[in-house]
Amino acid sequence: MHTGSADTEGQDEISPELAAALEPLRSDPAHAAILCDLDGTLAPIADRPEAAAVPDATREVLRALARRYALVAIVTGRRAAQAREMVGLDDLTYSGNHGFEVLPPGAGDPVPDPALNGHTEDVSRFVAGLDRAELERIGFRIEDKGAIFALHWRQAGNQGEAEARASEIESDAEWNGLVPRFGRKVLEIRPDVSIDKGIAVQSLLHDDRLSAALYGGDDRTDADAFRALHGLRDAGRLTAAVAVAVASEEAPPEVLTEADHLVEGTEGYLQVLQHLAS
C-alpha cells in the first residue's frame, strides 16, 4: 500500500518521503538496481504502440544512471530488441515479453527463458483460430510478439464493443489453457508457463551484491513486480525496496495499492530518475 499521495504535476522535486526511501540506493549505487517499465513509465502512452517514444531527457538520465548504478534494467511487455531500439541505449539490460526473454548489455540476441521450451507456438495457434475480419471491423490491432500475442483496441470506434469482445477472447483463451492478462486497452495472451514481471524481477536481482532496488511501473503486470520486490525485502535479500507507481487516469487500482509511492505521469517518474542521478 502506498504511503503518500502522488507528487503533483509541475513540481520540481519529488516528495520528502520518496526522497528518504530512495536514499539507500542513492548513497550506495554500486549495490543498487533501478528497474523500470517502459510504456507509461518512461515513454508516454501513444495511440499506437509503434508511435511511442522515450523523451531525450529520459534517455540521457538513463545513460547517466547506467554509468553509476550496478544494474539498470527495462522490464517490459515489448520484445527485448524492440525495447532497446526504442530506448536507444545498448548498456542497459532489457527483460522483454514480461520476462520471457532477456537481452544483456551489448548482446546481439535475447536469451529466451528455458520455461518456454515446447510452448512457443501455443498462443499463435489460438490466435490463428480467431476471426481476423471481425476483429479488424471492431478496431483491434493484433501484435505478434513471438510467444505472446497482444490485442490492442485503443483506436476502436466503439470502446464498449471492443472491451466486450476482449472479455470473450479472454474466456476462450483460458478454456484453451492459455494465460490472458488485461492491460491498458490491451489483452495479452501468454502460454501457460511460470513467467511474469515478478519472476523477471527476482531473476534480475539474483546477484548477492545487490542490496537495494527500485521498480517503477504503471500497469497491472507491474503489480507482480512490486510484490516480488517486497518479497525479496521481507526475505532479507534486500535491505531497501522501493515500488513507485506512475499514476494516471487509466492506472488500474492494483498497481496503485501495491506501490509504496505514487508519482504523476511519466514526468513525475523522470523526476525520480533525476533524483537518483544527482
Side-chain angles (χ1 to χ4, degrees), residues 191-205:
D192 187 13
V193 297
S194 296
I195 302 174
D196 59 28
K197 283 191 175 183
I199 294 172
V201 164
Q202 292 173 348
S203 177
L204 289 168
L205 298 178

Side-chain angles (χ1 to χ4, degrees), residues 39 85 125 180 252:
D39 292 272
E85 181 179 358
R125 284 192 291 268

